[in-house]
Amino acid sequence: MTDHAVLAQKFVANSPRAHWHDRALWFVRAKRDLAAKSLPEWEELREHASDIKAHCVAHLADYLEEFTRNAEKLGVQVHWAKDAAEHNQIVLGILQKHRVTKIVKSKSMLTEECHLNPFLERHGMEVIDTDLGERIVQMRHEPPSHIVLPAIHIQKEEVGALFHEQLGTDEGATDPQYLVEAARKHLREKFMAAEAGITGVNFAIAETGGFVVCTNEGNCDLGVSLPPVHIACMGIEKLIPRAQDLGVFLRLLARSATGQPITTYSSHFHGPRPGCELHVVLVDNGRTEILGSDDFRRSLNCIRCGACMNTCPVYRRSGGHSYQSTVPGPIGSILAPARDAAKHESLPFACSLCGSCTDVCPVKIDLHHQLLTWRGEIARRGLLPKSKSMGMKFVSFVFQHRWLYEWSGKLARFSLRVLPRWMIYNRFNAWGRQRELPAAPRSSFRDWYRHRSKNDGGKQES
Amino acid sequence: MSSREDILEKIRRKKFPDQPLPNLSEFGIVYANRVEQFVAALKSVGGSSLRVNTLAEADQAIRDLDVHRHATKTCSLIPDIGEANVDLDAVDDPHELEDVDVAIFPGEFGVAENGAIWIDAKNVKHRVVYVIAQHIVVVLDRCALVDNMHRAYDRLSFATPGFGMFLSGPSKTADIEQSLVIGAHGPRSLTVVLVENGFSD
Ligand code: SF4
């Protein structure tokens, strides 16, 4: 897998675009701040959310059983899938039973994770993503670059060109209102023709057997209220104990995601429409493994609001695709190595450890601590690439030998002053790539301190 | 072993630190003037509101709305409100509702903190009507406003099969360069008619 830093470098090479991307996300972050400040109880709300998730995890097996019991009472058919392959097979089976060939889907990161679309397409089915951002990236044959704003990396001129080519809009048209109208018409046809609707799940309620899906566009409700079959796919961590806990999460989710006080639609599904079928697929796909890890368990609290991405200085300047994982950004850099550490070893290093993600996370996941822990874990498992492991070994040797440390400090201070630029700023020194190294001081801290202590007799100023 | 047993067994293999569930009964912001806050929140999410005294006035106000006057197909879920020509119960296939211009329906209660309205589809034959209509009008009792989402859930119970939703404004998207466009897939406008003397008279 290509190193994150390599892809990030490509992204920042187009400087105006990188700045545009950075600003677009910071704008969303600023809206989130305003929304959070509108509630005096914001911090308590985060605390409650974190407690509810911790409680739920402690009783997860019981709650899953309770959910299943109650859902079945409502007439829902509940399925369990160990992994992505089983999930896809279950969905395919339901669709084939109903001879479905046309499907509309509303946003679901889980089905992205399981690569459901290409799987169903291989079986001759048409799967249309109906969230506008997702539809745009689907038409471009690329994955979403953000979990809430899937097309945040695409400029309106590009959407205009894409729609001109595929939907026949006027050439050169870039007005968002006009483009959305064209997409509305195109997708209405798909909604009218669909024989089944697939959705994700934002929250499933153990106590009632129901679940909630949140959207702004109304695509979920259009997609599942016309055809006779609704399949809802969820990771087992989406469960919450009580209906009243929704109050906590719905207050946090949209405010953290886009700064809205709530999403336009928060749809509560309790059982199928009369004469129709409702299926829920509960998916593990690696989640029980994360659950077993004391270091990373809390990453399962994630409600997929995207706030940690919007605030992350690395994400904003490297773009979602540089992470090469379904969920990018800080939380993605924890979840992806949990799935395959060798493949995603560079992600925990795509982080400045500034801690901003931890500050905004509505469910109080200690994101930057987990990222740091992952770095150690990756080194321990021997997965560091040579460039990092050699350097680390060297530095650790130097740190263990005082004379060598003092001597290398002297050498560095001397070299930075006298060496020609080409010897410092070259491809072997990653730290000299996009930045000027600081001017080297003449003496080390140690020398300065020794000198100072001699002069004032080591007394502390008060 | 079935996948169900397999997953449950993997979860039960380990004990996790427990945490009591929070008590939410007194929790959450309280507003001095709920109506004012609700109207402001509704406006911020792209909805508009009208205030009338009686249901008869609500009926008149709705008939006077531009969207209603220009509508060809109107569906009303409230008896004697609006000039309806689509009877939901007479429709068999929900796809037939594709060209409904205006849908008028009741809201159960509103939430001041976010301008959301709880819509209950109980006894509504085709719930697609809420999202498929080009414009929607919700009639809401002014006294049926709660401060926040916690008070909202105090009022809800999900003991029987059904569908309900919090609706906050017209459908919208910001997926093209973060520019807000109202009218994504669903309604292009939401008008809330707040009735002073409620549904009781
Ligand atoms: S980790 Fe926290 S901030 Fe990031 S997406 Fe999940 S809930 Fe949101």
Side-chain angles (χ1 to χ4, degrees), chain A residues 62-134:
Chain A
D62 298 338
Y63 281 135
L64 280 168
E65 287 183 310
E66 184 182 348
F67 170 78
T68 307
R69 242 186 348 263
N70 289 327
E72 283 169 351
K73 258 189 249 157
L74 295 169
V76 179
Q77 301 181 43
V78 182
H79 312 259
W80 300 66
K82 270 201 288 274
D83 52 22
E86 190 177 9
H87 161 266
N88 292 351
Q89 207 57 51
I90 290 169
V91 174
L92 177 71
I94 300 166
L95 295 171
Q96 280 177 338
K97 197 182 108 203
H98 291 273
R99 298 180 191 290
V100 169
T101 56
K102 293 193 171 79
I103 302 136
V104 284
K105 205 175 107 214
S106 76
K107 195 146 75 215
S108 142
M109 293 322 290
L110 176 72
T111 57
E112 286 285 335
E113 171 188 320
C114 297
H115 303 289
L116 179 68
N117 287 13
F119 174 79
L120 294 179
E121 280 158 11
R122 277 202 297 281
H123 287 84
M125 297 177 181
E126 178 194 74
V127 193
I128 301 290
D129 282 319
T130 55
D131 172 82
L132 178 59
E134 281 211 311

Side-chain angles (χ1 to χ4, degrees), chain A residues 41 55 59 62 65 82 86 130 133 156 181 184 188 216-217 225 242 251 255 264 266 268 270 292, chain B residues 3 6 12 14 18-19 22 29 113 132 134 150 153 162 164 166 168 172-173 175 177 185-186 188:
Chain A
E41 68 267 34
H55 170 92
H59 306 272
D62 298 338
E65 287 183 310
K82 270 201 288 274
E86 190 177 9
T130 55
K156 58 177 188 270
E181 193 59 38
R184 177 184 172 105
R188 270 275 164 136
N216 279 323
E217 299 181 1
S225 304
R242 314 169 292 187
R251 296 183 86 196
R255 286 186 175 95
T264 304
S266 310
H268 296 51
H270 282 83
Chain B
S3 292
D6 177 72
R12 290 202 164 108
K14 208 167 160 173
D18 199 357
Q19 189 67 247
I29 194 165
E113 74 160 296
I132 206 166
Q134 298 291 325
H150 308 296
Y153 279 103
F166 284 106
S168 168
K172 51 181 96 61
T173 182
D175 272 347
E177 279 205 18
H185 303 293
R188 301 167 189 274

Side-chain angles (χ1 to χ4, degrees), chain A residues 147 302-309 331 357 360-363 365 367:
Chain A
I147 56 174
C302 176
I303 57 172
R304 302 286 190 270
C305 74
C308 56
M309 288 154 217
I331 183 67
C357 46
V360 297
C361 176
V363 285
I365 301 172
L367 290 152

Side-chain angles (χ1 to χ4, degrees), chain A residues 39-53:
Chain A
L39 292 181
E41 68 267 34
W42 184 255
E43 289 307 317
E44 270 175 281
L45 205 50
R46 292 175 72 211
E47 203 66 62
H48 287 337
S50 161
D51 289 350
I52 294 168
K53 285 288 186 179

